Amino acid sequence: MSRRYNSTSQTLPGPPSRGADPELDIAFDFFAPDVTRQMGAIIRQGTDEVIATSRTRRWTLDQCNDQEKGYLGVNIENIVRDKYALDEGAVGMDFNVQSVDVDCKWSRNFGGWQIPPEALGHICLLVHGDDITGEMAVGLLRIRDEILVGGNRDAKRTIQSPGGISEIRWLVAPGTPIPENFLMSLRKKDRDAILAPRGGDARAIELFTRCEGMIIYRHTIESIGQQLDEARRFRGETRKKLLEKGFEVLNGHWKADRQRAMDLGDIMLTNRTQWICLRTDGSTPARRAALEPARIAEARAYRKAFSDQITAERRARKRAQKAAKAAAVQMNLLDTIPPDNEAAYATPVVTQAESIAAEVGDRLIL
């Protein structure tokens, strides 16, 4: 369970019991089967499509501009509609879930869902995921005026915490691990080398040789490369080049590949979405064991450094905005206050956090 929210409090109302809200029961039962895997894949796909690594060489959402970040919610809504084969709602909501109108709301920050006035009285599918915390959550909530607070220029409000949050019926509990942002989990020098080539084949070779012994999922190859059928990369010249370098690229779809992965690395592949690169001489496990401490330490250091720095930046910006608003009120110039452009300070924070994290990794290798 997430550190942000404790559902065991005795003073909070909690979600309605089954039968108290039949429409909520219908929506819950519709989304519930295999929901953690399904929603995790949707969040990962939606985020990776906005980052657009293959075209931009970016590897984190914080390198995107504010318009792109804003589109992520629309993208996730569209993917949910497609994956679950849903029509639009009958009265303006995003989905028709077995004749129940359900609106879809995304927030990277837990609890930050922006609820528009037209959602009052309806059920919202609340989706959250953040690569920095490594957590996701998905729940359903009947929107009532009493559980909304605040308000922005669009008259959107947030859900009261902890009271309103406590009424969410969770499909995926807060604090559930999100499918990994693979590039964020690598060392900076490896990430830079993988993204440096223009061509997809060259990137694939860098990806597999630098990540030997690590299970790499299909969506990672597709987001880094430049073609959808990642298997084509290893049916011809590319696979031959890797073999000449002493590497075998294996896929979990094939029985022979699964056995070879066990023989060379004692690694179990279970399905066709999993790929792995291992050295033919069987030396990958020892090499991977030597490299893992620095990789893990650098990935953790990046997340901590970014989180600490972006929090400080946001606080400073909030204080500045508050002071500017107070001054504008006195001069009756409220419309002149510019909106907060987070991308302007998030992008340099990424670079700073990368440098701090790389030093941590280097100290472990030396």
Side-chain angles (χ1 to χ4, degrees):
M1 186 59 67
S2 171
R3 58 184 175 274
R4 300 179 186 82
Y5 167 62
N6 180 3
S7 64
T8 61
S9 173
Q10 299 300 311
T11 62
L12 301 178
S17 59
R18 288 195 67 87
D21 188 338
E23 288 189 338
L24 189 66
D25 294 342
I26 290 171
F28 186 91
D29 292 342
F30 176 83
F31 286 110
D34 197 24
V35 65
T36 299
R37 185 190 65 82
Q38 293 266 37
M39 285 296 179
I42 286 169
I43 294 170
R44 183 76 274 141
Q45 178 184 343
T47 304
D48 288 346
E49 286 177 354
V50 170
I51 296 172
T53 299
S54 65
R55 298 188 299 274
T56 66
R57 300 188 187 183
R58 299 180 306 206
W59 50 273
T60 173
L61 190 63
D62 294 294
Q63 294 169 307
C64 300
N65 63 41
D66 290 322
Q67 289 74 25
E68 290 171 309
K69 293 176 185 177
Y71 174 70
L72 179 52
V74 176
N75 201 32
I76 285 177
E77 172 197 324
N78 289 335
I79 297 171
V80 171
R81 183 181 292 109
D82 176 58
K83 296 296 185 183
Y84 285 93
L86 294 168
D87 293 326
E88 292 187 2
V91 293
M93 299 298 100
D94 295 319
F95 309 136
N96 180 331
V97 179
Q98 297 181 350
S99 299
V100 176
D101 268 43
V102 176
D103 217 28
C104 183
K105 294 300 166 211
W106 158 263
S107 176
R108 186 181 180 187
N109 300 316
F110 182 82
W113 301 285
Q114 295 289 312
I115 310 299
E118 58 268 25
L120 275 174
H122 293 284
I123 294 168
C124 278
L125 177 71
L126 306 171
V127 186
H128 156 71
D130 184 8
D131 284 334
I132 298 298
T133 64
E135 296 177 353
M136 58 183 270
V138 182
L140 292 163
L141 177 68
R142 173 78 71 178
I143 302 300
R144 298 183 294 110
D145 189 67
E146 295 83 356
I147 62 173
L148 299 180
V149 295
N152 60 20
R153 293 181 180 180
D154 298 326
K156 294 179 180 179
R157 293 181 285 173
T158 55
I159 301 166
Q160 182 188 53
S161 180
I165 298 293
S166 73
E167 296 186 17
I168 298 172
R169 184 178 292 178
W170 295 110
L171 287 153
V172 179
T176 298
I178 192 174
E180 185 177 47
N181 179 332
F182 189 82
L183 287 173
M184 189 179 285
S185 76
L186 302 181
R187 298 202 63 199
K188 181 182 186 304
K189 64 178 184 179
D190 293 327
R191 181 167 55 241
D192 289 347
I194 292 166
L195 297 180
R198 290 286 183 184
D201 289 335
R203 284 186 185 177
I205 290 173
E206 287 289 345
L207 172 67
F208 277 90
T209 55
R210 287 180 174 274
C211 301
E212 60 169 299
M214 298 175 66
I215 293 178
I216 305 173
Y217 285 85
R218 175 177 182 152
H219 70 77
T220 297
I221 301 170
E222 291 179 350
S223 67
I224 293 171
Q226 295 170 334
Q227 63 187 39
L228 292 180
D229 184 0
E230 86 288 355
R232 290 180 187 171
R233 245 183 241 299
F234 309 108
R235 292 179 186 150
E237 191 66 22
T238 302
R239 192 162 199 168
K240 182 180 177 182
K241 288 179 181 178
L242 287 166
L243 283 170
E244 290 172 353
K245 292 174 178 286
F247 293 100
E248 295 185 33
V249 176
L250 308 169
N251 180 259
H253 177 65
W254 307 105
K255 183 178 180 180
D257 280 11
R258 294 197 298 269
Q259 184 58 53
R260 191 64 172 157
M262 290 297 295
D263 294 342
L264 293 179
D266 195 26
I267 293 171
M268 182 179 293
L269 299 178
T270 60
N271 61 72
R272 70 175 62 207
T273 70
Q274 296 176 330
W275 292 84
I276 197 161
C277 180
L278 297 165
R279 291 186 182 249
T280 301
D281 62 9
S283 63
T284 293
R287 185 174 286 100
R288 188 77 259 155
L291 295 173
E292 277 299 273
R295 181 188 73 82
I296 294 171
E298 186 168 322
R300 288 175 177 170
Y302 171 79
R303 286 176 166 89
K304 184 179 188 308
F306 179 87
S307 181
D308 290 346
Q309 291 182 66
I310 200 70
T311 297
E313 288 278 2
R314 285 170 178 160
R315 287 174 178 168
R317 298 277 172 157
K318 189 173 182 179
R319 288 194 296 268
Q321 286 281 78
K322 188 175 181 180
K325 184 175 181 180
V329 167
Q330 290 184 341
M331 300 177 65
N332 197 26
L333 296 173
L334 277 177
D335 290 339
T336 65
I337 301 175
D340 185 25
N341 183 3
E342 180 172 293
Y345 54 90
T347 301
V349 170
V350 169
T351 302
Q352 295 164 16
E354 259 196 307
S355 297
I356 293 170
E359 292 176 4
V360 171
D362 288 342
R363 287 198 296 270
L364 287 178
I365 291 296
L366 295 176

